[in-house]
Amino acid sequence: MQKSYVIKRILYTVLIFFVVLTLNFFIPRIGVEDPAERYYPPQGNMSDDAYEAVKELTRKQYGFDVSTAEQYIRYVSDLFHGDLDTSFKSGSPKVADLIFERIPWTLVLSLSTMLIGAILGISFGAFAAWRRGRWPDLILMNASTFTTALPSFFIALILVLYMGFEWEWFPAYTDPNMVAGFDWSWEAIGRVFYNAALPIFSMAIGSIVSYAQTTRNSVIAVSGEDFILTARAKGLSNSTVLYKHTLRNAVLPIVTSLGMSVSGLIGGAVVIEQIFNWNGMGTLFLEANNTNDYPLMMGIMLFLSTFALVANLVTDLCYSLLDPRVTVGDKR
Amino acid sequence: MENFWKKAGKGIKAFGIASWKKIKKAILGFGDFIKKLWMRPKGRVGLILLALLFICAVFAPVIAPFDPYDVTQRAAKGLSPSWEHPLGTTITTGQDIFSMLIYGSRVSLSIGLITGILTAFIGAFMGILAGYIGSWVDTVIMRVVDVMLVIPTLPLTIVLTNLFGKSYGMIIFIFTLFGWTGLSRVVRSQTLVLKNSNYVKAAELAGASRMHIMMRHILPGVSHLLIMSTALTSAGIMVAEAGLSFLGLGDPTAISWGKMLAEVQSGGAMLFGHWWWIIAPGIGIFLAVFAFMRIGVAMEEVFNPRMKQTSSVYKIFKNLNGAYIEEVFDSMDEKEKLGYIEEKERVRHE
């Protein structure tokens, strides 16, 4: 891997980051003439003078008293000091604090989904490839159509109906105690996963199938290579060839894509979090949307985009590092 | 003066005949294409389902026993399935669920199809422009695509519906805004292949304008990608629309399957165990998406028959990856193929 490639790739990521940052800043300001009026609509019992005063105060408090360009410069410079603006919520909490309060809960969902998806998916995929053309393979090949056509929130509703209410296996809604009474004891951690069971399950189904399909195709690709033929010619057993030679090589593209899938899962968990009233980024975002809390929305969007950007970068760099056959550095 | 009218008349007549011939050719070609789809079991399943859904959507007032929009036609709340109400009534408003299901097909299908077609147009335009013109146009378009792929789609859609309102047209606009990026990459890489083909070179030497080459020589070469993308994008958009309506961010005046699911949740169907109310919109979404995906897969088989090594998609693939790919490529589904090609192209051209 060439150094110039790494530097170029990082510079490019920074450039895209700035474009995303700028978009994030300007999109909520489209078509908004007076932010103060939009965020604090006139109250019925307030006199005009009092309302003007309130608007003036609001402008000052949230930094709308200067021109948009100045606001932009202030926003960017604040960002480099690790400050993501102030939310409109009561008590004026910092956006960054709100996000970091919620992100662990979302990560519980998305990381578990990813782990379950990767572990089960890779095993199923390898099995299907091993039994290529027989029934496990056929089931897998048709399963993807079904999981795409059944959206995860529909699966979640069905799970709530049966596992939540009918059979009472898992809680249908998140227990508020789970967040409030969390103290790192084993019991508290157990409670988190007990509450997370249904959300994770409803997201994992699609994830398992997609990992399985990628693995299957990758395994079939690798098993056609010469070194597999050599391994077989040496007289190694089927399972040794599958696990030690084929799977290790086939899993490479999947492992490197994990980062990307996490960023996708965090953004996509909005609906699932809403169904289970899960205390994560998705519900925070919907709350922000319902209350027109633009700094908070911008902050979350920026966080998610940055996450995706970094995941992209790491994936690309890892890929060229892990797989010497991919020569990313020298093209032209 | 008389001469002028004569000429004009002739011109109009010639134009009329020419365009009629074109239309006829297009209709015949389309019929032929549908026939090819029909010959395949996957395509047949998709076509039958899609036809049924379209009949439901177009003749909804005839088929549905009640008008779910009509406030006077409400029955008792939370009825179980019966002959009068095949899927019962809702707990919240007493609307007939079966009628809602039939009417809901209108929103899903129209948003899916319109967005699918629009994204195909924009994706083709951007992709061909980037691939054929190259230089700074290519750079700008591809950087825009890169940025759009990084911004999380669902949250940004939510922000935009909040800003610009939740109307039907706005939802289509927003989905189109995000839908074209993936396709434009695929079209671009295909254009890059076609650009170096002999017939395009010949046309260039003959002095054909860029516009002419893009419209007459490159567009037909990528049209199969556009048709496939329309089917698959429509399927994806219908799921996305359902998700948006489920969050209460769809068109608030229209009955859609996503909104029905939202009412299921807020109306407490799970609490009362009214499984028919939950299953109904889910089956609607499933059938519509399933139909489009089957048709997409069947189209792939029509355009890109197995082992047909001359297929353009296959060529891109082969150039990039050496020999062993053939088998994998055949075993992949459409989405994966496009995705794989796209990735390889990106890595190669970056």
Side-chain angles (χ1 to χ4, degrees):
Chain A
M1 190 164 58
Q2 270 104 337
K3 229 178 200 167
S4 65
Y5 170 71
V6 177
I7 292 169
K8 213 173 125 191
R9 193 69 188 72
I10 290 172
L11 282 181
Y12 179 61
T13 304
V14 172
L15 178 77
I16 297 280
F17 173 77
F18 267 99
V19 175
V20 171
L21 174 72
T22 313
L23 278 178
N24 257 334
F25 178 82
F26 283 105
I27 285 174
R29 283 170 172 77
I30 300 171
V32 180
E33 272 176 26
D34 187 354
E37 200 160 328
R38 187 177 167 96
Y39 304 147
Y40 286 90
Q43 313 286 322
N45 53 359
M46 203 180 264
S47 72
D48 280 359
D49 284 352
Y51 184 53
E52 277 305 315
V54 166
K55 279 204 292 191
E56 199 56 45
L57 261 177
T58 317
R59 280 193 203 108
K60 211 160 229 162
Q61 187 179 359
Y62 294 108
F64 294 124
D65 49 346
V66 289
S67 70
T68 316
E70 276 175 78
Q71 285 175 41
Y72 178 64
I73 294 167
R74 193 191 284 172
Y75 182 70
V76 174
S77 72
D78 278 358
L79 197 69
F80 280 99
H81 295 104
D83 183 1
L84 269 177
D85 247 343
T86 311
S87 162
F88 291 163
K89 281 188 169 196
S90 65
S92 306
K94 287 281 174 200
V95 168
D97 295 342
L98 286 172
I99 291 177
F100 284 105
E101 205 173 281
R102 297 292 189 98
I103 191 70
W105 299 107
T106 294
L107 282 180
V108 166
L109 289 192
S110 42
L111 286 181
S112 326
T113 306
M114 190 197 77
L115 273 181
I116 293 174
I119 293 170
L120 291 183
I122 290 171
S123 346
F124 283 161
F127 186 64
W130 188 36
R131 291 251 179 275
R132 194 179 171 202
R134 312 250 198 94
W135 62 266
D137 193 24
L138 292 178
I139 289 177
L140 178 62
M141 292 309 280
N142 289 309
S144 70
T145 320
F146 285 88
T147 48
T148 318
L150 286 176
S152 63
F153 56 90
F154 176 62
I155 296 175
L157 289 179
I158 297 287
L159 291 182
V160 168
L161 171 67
Y162 286 105
M163 293 187 175
F165 286 113
E166 206 98 326
W167 305 329
E168 298 186 348
W169 288 357
F170 298 106
Y173 298 103
T174 312
D175 179 6
N177 256 337
M178 177 190 89
V179 180
F182 189 75
D183 54 359
W184 289 107
S185 66
W186 285 112
E187 202 199 333
I189 293 173
R191 201 188 303 139
V192 169
F193 281 100
Y194 180 58
N195 278 288
L198 290 186
I200 292 175
F201 195 27
S202 46
M203 288 198 289
I205 292 177
S207 174
I208 292 171
V209 172
S210 80
Y211 277 117
Q213 206 153 36
T214 324
T215 313
R216 174 196 176 273
N217 295 333
S218 181
V219 165
I220 288 172
V222 172
S223 55
E225 295 235 40
D226 289 342
F227 62 83
I228 299 298
L229 196 66
T230 314
R232 282 198 194 284
K234 280 198 299 189
L236 298 179
S237 71
N238 262 341
S239 61
T240 319
V241 173
L242 179 64
Y243 290 112
K244 293 227 163 132
H245 295 256
T246 315
L247 210 52
R248 276 197 192 174
N249 285 290
V251 146
L252 198 69
I254 301 154
V255 171
T256 46
S257 75
L258 289 181
M260 272 305 287
S261 65
V262 172
S263 66
L265 279 171
I266 294 177
V270 177
V271 188
I272 295 292
E273 286 188 6
Q274 196 263 340
I275 293 176
F276 293 95
N277 206 7
W278 186 260
N279 188 41
M281 293 265 277
T283 41
L284 184 68
F285 189 79
L286 287 176
E287 274 168 35
N289 180 58
N290 294 338
T291 53
N292 282 338
D293 190 345
Y294 285 108
L296 187 52
M297 289 163 96
M298 272 156 54
I300 295 174
M301 298 264 292
L302 189 65
F303 182 84
L304 290 177
S305 328
T306 316
F307 200 98
L309 261 176
V310 172
N312 257 342
L313 177 69
V314 171
T315 308
D316 271 18
L317 295 184
C318 279
Y319 204 85
S320 50
L321 200 69
L322 287 177
D323 192 345
R325 284 170 302 182
V326 180
T327 48
V328 200
D330 54 70
K331 323 142 269 161
R332 74 199 77 238
Chain B
M1 199 61 203
E2 204 171 295
N3 205 5
F4 170 78
W5 285 118
K6 232 180 197 171
K7 264 187 185 170
K10 259 186 191 168
I12 289 168
K13 204 176 162 193
F15 181 75
I17 290 170
S19 54
W20 167 239
K21 270 185 183 163
K22 263 186 206 165
I23 293 168
K24 206 169 145 191
K25 203 178 153 196
I27 292 173
L28 284 179
F30 189 66
D32 202 38
F33 177 60
I34 296 288
K35 211 169 161 189
K36 275 185 189 160
L37 282 182
W38 183 257
M39 298 305 283
R40 279 149 228 276
K42 279 173 188 163
R44 196 173 294 187
V45 171
L47 284 175
I48 291 175
L49 270 178
L50 199 62
L52 283 178
L53 287 165
F54 264 99
I55 291 171
C56 280
V58 175
F59 299 106
V62 185
I63 296 168
F66 299 92
D67 183 357
Y69 287 101
D70 190 349
V71 196
T72 57
Q73 294 190 18
R74 302 275 153 96
K77 291 174 184 175
L79 291 179
S80 303
S82 62
W83 283 114
E84 207 193 345
H85 300 284
L87 288 169
T89 58
T90 63
I91 295 173
T92 39
T93 50
Q95 281 159 295
D96 182 48
I97 294 172
F98 180 66
S99 307
M100 288 173 85
L101 186 64
I102 300 281
Y103 271 85
S105 63
R106 292 184 156 187
V107 174
S108 290
L109 282 180
S110 58
I111 289 190
L113 252 188
I114 294 174
T115 316
I117 291 169
L118 284 178
T119 48
F121 272 107
I122 298 176
F125 180 73
M126 294 294 189
I128 293 177
L129 217 58
Y132 188 70
I133 306 277
S135 73
W136 63 270
V137 178
D138 185 23
T139 315
V140 170
I141 293 177
M142 284 302 117
R143 290 306 86 99
V144 170
V145 170
D146 281 349
V147 169
M148 290 185 108
L149 287 176
V150 165
I151 299 179
T153 317
L154 184 60
L156 189 55
T157 312
I158 293 172
V159 173
L160 291 178
T161 45
N162 186 356
L163 276 177
F164 299 117
K166 303 171 185 172
S167 68
Y168 183 84
M170 193 44 76
I171 288 164
I172 291 178
F173 172 76
I174 293 170
F175 279 139
T176 311
L177 196 66
F178 291 103
W180 62 272
T181 47
L183 176 66
S184 73
R185 272 189 167 177
V186 184
V187 169
R188 174 178 169 272
S189 51
Q190 176 72 8
T191 307
L192 288 173
V193 173
L194 293 176
K195 198 177 163 182
N196 292 319
S197 64
N198 288 334
Y199 67 89
V200 171
K201 288 251 156 69
E204 273 168 1
L205 284 176
S209 69
R210 282 173 161 187
M211 194 64 200
H212 180 86
I213 290 174
M214 284 194 279
M215 293 301 291
R216 286 301 171 81
H217 299 295
I218 304 223
L219 189 61
V222 298
S223 58
H224 65 286
L225 293 175
L226 305 183
I227 297 174
M228 281 191 293
S229 135
T230 307
L232 295 172
T233 314
S234 301
I237 292 296
M238 284 192 293
V239 174
E241 190 274 330
L244 203 62
S245 310
F246 181 75
L247 290 174
L249 298 163
D251 186 347
T253 55
I255 292 174
S256 72
W257 292 328
K259 208 175 139 212
M260 281 172 77
L261 278 175
E263 283 165 22
V264 162
Q265 201 204 356
S266 62
M270 278 100 68
L271 200 62
F272 294 104
H274 283 198
W275 53 268
W276 52 89
W277 190 12
I278 307 174
I279 301 278
I283 285 183
I285 298 171
F286 175 77
L287 288 181
V289 176
F290 187 74
F292 274 105
M293 285 185 70
R294 286 281 114 162
I295 290 177
V297 173
M299 280 176 180
E300 165 66 13
E301 283 176 7
V302 171
F303 289 127
N304 195 19
R306 274 162 193 250
M307 304 302 165
K308 191 183 161 196
Q309 306 212 347
T310 47
S311 125
S312 48
V313 183
Y314 177 82
K315 260 192 214 152
I316 305 175
F317 215 71
K318 186 155 188 183
N319 286 342
L320 295 169
N321 250 343
Y324 74 79
I325 268 334
E326 185 185 336
E327 205 184 20
V328 202
F329 192 62
D330 281 327
S331 67
M332 285 180 171
D333 68 40
E334 172 50 24
K335 251 185 166 171
E336 284 173 310
K337 277 180 188 172
L338 292 183
Y340 203 88
I341 294 163
E342 199 184 302
E343 258 326 288
K344 287 290 161 195
E345 266 309 287
R346 191 170 68 87
V347 169
R348 208 166 70 123
H349 286 280
E350 220 166 61

